[in-house]
Amino acid sequence: MLAKIAVLTMTRGRHDQLLGQVDGLSVGSVPPAIHSIASMGDRDLTRGRLPLASDRWRTIVRPVPTDRRALPLAAARNATAAQAISAGADVLVFFDGDVIPGTRALERYAAAVTGEAGAAIREQVAGPILWCGPVLQLPEPANPEVGYPLRKLDTLGVRTPGTPPLRNGELVIEERFELFHALAFAMSADDFEATGGFCPQYTGKGLEDADFAQIVREAGGAMVWVGGATTYLQPGQEVAEAEEERIALNHAKIWGDRWGQPSTHPWLQRLVGQGRLRAAPAGNYRAV
């Protein structure tokens, strides 16, 4: 039986980037059955004012309650996953709203989740599996009105540090869970439900990805690289320093409360190294 693939994403105001994702899906070797999009306080998106629809897949837009101070990325991922699973999806492919999928990304992810090679890895693992593809970072488009040349993105993208070079279709277990990020990854619907989803206490971008990876690790799961499931990250918006520090302090506290130990995530270590945060007693952090 063919896999029913759902692509899950979320955004607020990044319309050109979301349309770039839709363009990427439209030229893919395998289309999704569902494109589930969380609208985080985006009125134009919620009211159907964007040309997102396709005759190749079903588009679902679901509004998510949003605090203007920080986007509910964790809760939005959970909402899109719940929507897709209720619609019958068995392969969940999570993309950041700024991600453009490569032409064979969905094909590779579905093969990993449902194919024989993936099944061989599953026999070695007791818990849920995070299937992670390479993410290449794109520069600003040469002509924003035209966008990116979708079939030539490999010539523009720069590989994210830590991603191993892989052959197409190659599957490699990664022991370093700290390399996980939710920009682009896939799970079976059953595995995602087994995790209980992302912790919605996290708002804003920070430790919500690391927390989800910790859930998978604690459950005896694995992180697996998927060769050829390549995606491309469009340039993002800069976060004001004061806002980043506020989110970091909040996330560090949530992490400590949930896991009973301080987070040593490279993001927090970078902020300490930059003199923007300082370590405090009991593994906490304080503003400088």
Side-chain angles (χ1 to χ4, degrees), residues 59-94:
T59 301
I60 303 171
V61 176
R62 177 171 178 171
V64 177
T66 300
D67 183 334
R68 290 187 176 275
R69 294 176 300 172
L71 296 178
L73 303 177
R77 291 192 181 101
N78 292 343
T80 57
Q83 185 79 59
I85 292 170
S86 69
D90 50 10
V91 175
L92 307 181
V93 181
F94 294 80

Side-chain angles (χ1 to χ4, degrees), residues 67-237:
D67 183 334
R68 290 187 176 275
R69 294 176 300 172
L71 296 178
L73 303 177
R77 291 192 181 101
N78 292 343
T80 57
Q83 185 79 59
I85 292 170
S86 69
D90 50 10
V91 175
L92 307 181
V93 181
F94 294 80
F95 288 152
D96 183 89
D98 289 351
V99 161
I100 299 174
T103 55
R104 301 192 69 181
L106 296 192
E107 177 185 345
R108 298 295 186 192
Y109 273 130
V113 175
T114 66
E116 293 183 3
I121 288 183
R122 185 169 294 282
E123 290 179 357
Q124 308 171 41
V125 179
I129 298 177
L130 301 165
W131 305 94
C132 303
V135 178
L136 276 62
Q137 296 177 319
L138 293 172
E140 295 287 349
N143 185 342
E145 294 185 1
V146 175
Y148 293 99
L150 295 176
R151 299 189 185 277
K152 298 181 179 180
L153 295 181
D154 270 334
T155 65
L156 300 175
V158 177
R159 187 173 294 272
T160 303
T163 307
L166 300 170
R167 300 185 303 276
N168 288 337
E170 184 179 9
L171 304 178
V172 176
I173 295 177
E174 175 61 76
E175 302 293 341
R176 298 168 295 172
F177 277 86
E178 64 272 18
L179 293 180
F180 172 74
H181 53 70
L183 291 171
F185 74 103
M187 296 187 83
S188 71
D190 288 343
D191 275 2
F192 183 79
E193 289 188 308
T195 67
F198 286 78
C199 173
Q201 292 176 263
Y202 295 98
T203 57
K205 189 171 184 59
L207 295 182
E208 75 284 357
D209 297 4
D211 188 281
F212 189 66
Q214 183 71 3
I215 291 172
V216 172
R217 187 207 299 262
E218 291 289 317
M223 174 180 170
V224 180
W225 292 112
V226 181
T230 307
T231 56
Y232 304 87
L233 181 64
Q234 300 170 82
Q237 294 176 310

Side-chain angles (χ1 to χ4, degrees), residues 15 18-19 39 41-53 59 61:
H15 296 164
L18 180 60
L19 292 173
S39 170
D42 187 322
R43 291 184 179 181
D44 288 337
L45 177 58
T46 300
R47 295 177 181 178
R49 294 172 178 166
L50 303 182
L52 303 175
T59 301
V61 176

Side-chain angles (χ1 to χ4, degrees), residues 10-29:
M10 65 283 182
T11 193
R12 182 173 76 185
R14 305 274 290 168
H15 296 164
D16 288 344
Q17 289 74 18
L18 180 60
L19 292 173
Q21 181 176 113
V22 172
D23 288 343
L25 293 174
S26 70
V27 300
S29 60

